[in-house]
Amino acid sequence: MILNKILQTAPTILQSFDYLCSVMKIFNAAQIRELDKYTIEHEPIKSIDLMERAAKAITRAIMEEWTERTPVVVFAGPGNNGGDGLAVARMLAEADYQVSVYLFNIHNKLSDDCASNRQRVIDCKKLSKFTEITLNFDPPELTPDTLVIDSLFGSGINKPLMGGFASLVKYVNQSSAKVVSIDIPSGLMCDDNSYNIRTNIIRAHLTLTLQQVKLSMMFADCQQYIGRLRVLDIRLHPEYINKTKVSHHIIEENELRPCMRQRSDFAHKGAMGHALIIAGSYGMAGASILATRACLRSGVGKVTTHTPKRNYGIMQVAVPEAVMQMDHEETYFSESIETSDFDAVAIGPGIGLAENTAIALISQIRRTQCPIVIDADALNILSNHRAWMQQLPKGIIMTPHPKEFDRLIGSVSNSDYERLTHALQLADRLQGYIILKGHHSALCTPDGRVIFNSSGNSGMATAGSGDVLTGIITALLARGYERAEACLLGMYLHGLAGDFAIRDMGKESLVASDIIDYLPKAFMRLED
C-alpha cells in the first residue's frame, strides 16, 4: 500500500545527497595532502605562510584554555607537523609563555617548512629553551602543571611508531602532564589502526585537528588517544573540498532540516502511514512498548503491534494508542502474518531466540513486501542461521550494535575500522542498509558510502535505546520517506532527543523512555 502521495514532492536526502555531503566530508590521508597542496597552488599562498596561519589558530585555541603561568614543553618531529609545533612554540613564547622546545632531527633531515620554523624559533629571544636531538635524548621532567604540545607526527604516518619515538610516547603517556596534540595524536593513523601498536600512540587530553575530522576520530576504539576534539578552520581551499569525492561523510542538522516532510493541513491518519511492530516475548514486553511508543511519537498515522498473548494487558495499559494484534502463542512470536495493509514493518526487539520464533521470522521476511527494519533478537536469529541471509530482500535495514554485528558475520573484528569495512561489504552484498550503532552511528549504504551521525551522547548507552531507534525509523518509512532518508533522519532525531534529555536528566539518569519523551522537541527543532 503506497500512501503519502501528497508528500512525494518534498526534497529527499537521496536527491541532494552529493550536495549535502560536500559540506561534511571525511578525507583520507592522501586527500588531506592534496588539499594542502591545492590551497597553496590556488589561493595562492606560500606553504610557510599556510603553516603560519594554522599555527595562529592552534595558538589561539591553546591560549583560550591555558594561561601564561602554564609551563609548556613542545615535542616536535622533523616533518610539517613538527613545523606547526615550532611555530606554535614561538607564538606562545612571544605571548609570555614559558616554552621549552625539543626538536627531533634524528636523521638530520627536516622538511623545508620545519627547517624554516626551526630558524625562527632559534631567533626568538623569548623562548626559554631550544634543544635539537640528533642522537641521545634526556627527557625533561613532566609535572602535573606542565602542558605538553605533541607535534611529533601528523596524519601522514602509515606504520606504527618504533624505537626512540615509541619510548618518548610511553614516557609522555606515563606522565601526569596535560597533552595537546596538533592535528592528530602522534602514532595514530588517519584511517586504519587495525594493526597499529596501541601502546605507541600519544594519549592526548585535547586534539586540535585542522580543517577536517579524520576518519579514525569517528571510532570508539580511538577515543582514548584523541581526548576532547576541536576542529580548527584554517581556511583551506573550498573548491577542492567541494569537488573531491569521498566515501565517508558526517551528516548534521543543517543538511537534514530541508528534508523534513511537512504535514498537510488536510492530513488524516490513513494518509500518514500504518506501521507494524513485531516485538516482545514473555518477560520482554518493555521492548515492544519502547519500539511502539517511539514509532507513535515519530509522526506515523497508525501503529499495530504484534506480540504474544501474555503481553496484551501490559501493552493496552502502556500504549493505548496502538492496535494490538496477539500471537497464537502465550509467550513468544510464533507465526508470520499478512502485511499488505502496512507501509513498513519492524521485527526483532525482545522476540527471543526460540526455534519456532526463528522459523516465524524467516517466514515473515519472505512474505513482507514493504520496507523492513531488523533489529535485536531478529539479528541474533540470523546469526544462528546465516544461510538465511541469502533470502533477505533488497533494501533491508539492519541496526546492529558492534557485538550483534560481529555475531552476524561470524567473526570478531580487530578494530572499529575493520568492522565498518565488513559492514560496507555486507551492505553491498545484501543491497541493504546497515546502521552500526555507537556514539557516531554509521549508516552503510548499498552504493558504498558511509554517513556518520553527529548527534547523541553516552547517556544513551542504556537498555532499550536501540528499540527506540527501531521505532523511529519504522515510523519514517511508513510516512513515505525513502530508506536512506529514514535511516539518516532516524539516527539524528534519536540522538538529538537524547541530547535534549540529558540537559534535564543528566547522562547518568537517562533511560530509554526519556528519549521518547524528548522526541517532540527533536522534531520541532528540525521543523523550525
Side-chain angles (χ1 to χ4, degrees):
M1 182 171 60
I2 307 299
L3 301 176
N4 311 316
K5 293 297 185 183
I6 59 175
L7 300 175
Q8 294 306 310
T9 57
T12 70
I13 289 175
L14 287 179
Q15 290 168 346
S16 54
F17 192 83
D18 289 323
Y19 165 72
L20 297 179
C21 293
S22 70
V23 181
M24 296 299 297
K25 294 179 176 179
I26 300 177
F27 292 151
N28 60 34
Q31 289 170 327
I32 291 169
R33 287 193 297 272
E34 286 301 312
L35 174 56
D36 285 345
K37 182 180 176 183
Y38 191 94
T39 302
I40 291 165
E41 293 175 353
H42 291 79
E43 185 169 337
I45 185 174
K46 294 179 180 178
S47 60
I48 189 67
D49 294 332
L50 181 59
M51 184 173 285
E52 194 79 356
R53 182 194 294 174
K56 287 178 180 177
I58 296 163
T59 302
R60 281 194 299 269
I62 291 171
M63 292 175 68
E64 288 171 5
E65 306 214 19
W66 287 275
T67 70
E68 64 273 10
R69 293 189 298 273
T70 305
V72 178
V73 174
V74 177
F75 293 124
N80 284 347
N81 190 258
D84 290 333
L86 294 176
V88 170
R90 168 172 46 83
M91 293 176 188
L92 287 174
E94 290 170 349
D96 295 326
Y97 285 73
Q98 299 300 307
V99 184
S100 299
V101 175
Y102 296 85
L103 171 60
F104 291 84
N105 189 10
I106 307 299
H107 301 293
N108 196 29
K109 184 179 180 182
L110 304 177
S111 71
D112 291 342
D113 291 337
C114 185
S116 296
N117 270 304
R118 170 186 176 275
Q119 189 58 50
R120 292 180 181 184
V121 162
I122 291 173
D123 294 340
C124 179
K125 305 289 191 220
K126 301 184 77 172
L127 195 73
S128 298
K129 182 178 182 180
F130 174 77
T131 305
E132 185 169 355
I133 294 94
T134 56
L135 187 59
N136 296 319
F137 172 53
D138 185 18
E141 181 183 3
L142 303 178
T143 69
D145 297 327
T146 305
L147 174 64
V148 171
I149 297 178
D150 157 41
S151 63
L152 291 169
F153 297 98
S155 58
I157 67 165
N158 55 16
K159 59 184 178 181
L161 297 185
M162 304 295 286
F165 286 115
S167 298
L168 175 58
V169 166
K170 291 173 182 175
Y171 176 73
V172 172
N173 288 344
Q174 290 167 4
S175 76
S176 53
K178 296 293 184 187
V179 181
V180 174
S181 286
I182 293 178
D183 202 28
I184 193 168
S186 292
L188 186 67
M189 297 178 201
C190 187
D191 304 312
D192 183 5
N193 287 274
S194 300
Y195 300 99
N196 206 340
I197 300 175
R198 302 273 171 165
T199 56
N200 297 355
I201 303 173
I202 283 283
R203 293 176 183 266
H205 297 85
L206 171 65
T207 298
L208 300 173
T209 200
L210 303 177
Q211 197 69 44
Q212 307 284 127
V213 172
K214 282 63 179 175
L215 180 59
S216 60
M217 294 174 179
M218 305 304 294
F219 298 134
D221 58 0
C222 293
Q223 292 309 301
Q224 59 185 310
Y225 312 108
I226 294 162
R228 187 159 49 90
L229 178 65
R230 287 186 61 182
V231 182
L232 304 181
D233 182 5
I234 60 170
R235 307 192 308 280
L236 297 181
H237 209 292
E239 186 175 283
Y240 181 89
I241 295 173
N242 291 333
K243 75 178 185 179
T244 302
K245 292 187 178 298
V246 299
S247 57
H248 297 80
H249 315 82
I250 303 170
I251 199 74
E252 289 194 325
E253 186 171 308
N254 289 338
E255 288 79 63
L256 288 171
R257 187 176 286 116
C259 304
M260 292 292 292
R261 300 187 176 203
Q262 299 302 310
R263 184 179 290 251
S264 168
D265 291 339
F266 292 89
H268 55 85
K269 68 179 181 182
M272 300 309 291
H274 189 180
L276 172 65
I277 305 286
I278 300 173
S281 56
Y282 183 58
M284 293 294 290
S288 54
I289 291 170
L290 291 168
T292 303
R293 286 190 62 221
C295 193
L296 284 162
R297 280 291 187 193
S298 299
V300 71
K302 186 178 178 182
V303 178
T304 294
T305 301
H306 183 95
T307 195
K309 288 180 180 179
R310 287 200 187 179
N311 288 342
Y312 176 78
I314 300 172
M315 290 293 296
Q316 285 286 66
V317 172
V319 199
E321 300 90 346
V323 177
M324 289 297 106
Q325 185 184 85
M326 311 318 297
D327 197 277
H328 288 166
E329 287 293 334
E330 292 281 331
T331 60
Y332 62 89
F333 170 56
S334 68
E335 56 185 348
S336 64
I337 60 174
E338 175 59 42
T339 60
S340 58
D341 290 336
F342 301 103
D343 300 294
V345 173
I347 184 167
I351 63 174
L353 304 177
E355 192 58 30
N356 285 352
T357 298
I359 294 169
L361 168 68
I362 192 60
S363 175
Q364 186 67 66
I365 290 172
R366 288 192 195 114
R367 69 186 299 184
T368 299
Q369 300 301 312
C370 58
I372 309 176
V373 182
I374 294 182
D375 185 31
D377 284 335
L379 295 170
N380 293 326
I381 288 171
L382 289 176
S383 300
N384 295 331
H385 301 81
R386 210 163 289 120
W388 290 355
M389 300 271 282
Q390 300 174 10
Q391 302 181 45
L392 299 180
K394 288 184 178 180
I396 193 86
I397 296 171
M398 308 172 85
T399 61
H401 60 59
K403 287 188 177 180
E404 286 172 340
F405 182 79
D406 286 350
R407 288 194 292 266
L408 197 62
I409 63 171
S411 66
V412 177
S413 299
N414 290 315
S415 67
D416 287 344
Y417 178 91
E418 184 174 276
R419 183 177 292 110
L420 185 65
T421 301
H422 290 155
L424 272 170
Q425 292 168 350
L426 183 62
D428 175 62
R429 188 164 75 248
L430 298 178
Q431 284 299 289
Y433 298 83
I434 312 294
I435 297 178
L436 273 180
K437 293 184 289 196
H439 178 60
H440 295 294
S441 291
L443 171 64
C444 301
T445 68
D447 60 356
R449 288 187 274 197
V450 177
I451 308 96
F452 290 99
N453 186 36
S454 59
S455 64
N457 60 80
S458 58
M460 299 172 70
T462 184
S465 180
D467 302 331
V468 174
L469 176 64
T470 295
I472 298 169
I473 294 173
T474 307
L476 295 171
L477 290 168
R479 283 279 319 269
Y481 287 91
E482 298 293 337
R483 288 169 174 82
E485 291 180 300
C487 290
L488 290 173
L489 282 167
M491 287 194 306
Y492 191 82
L493 287 162
H494 181 250
L496 183 59
D499 289 339
F500 282 132
I502 65 164
R503 295 179 187 179
D504 295 331
M505 309 285 186
K507 290 183 180 180
E508 298 302 330
S509 298
L510 189 73
V511 295
S513 56
D514 296 330
I515 303 171
I516 300 172
D517 292 340
Y518 281 86
L519 274 173
K521 194 169 184 179
F523 272 93
M524 286 190 292
R525 172 72 167 264
L526 286 191
E527 290 167 353
D528 185 11

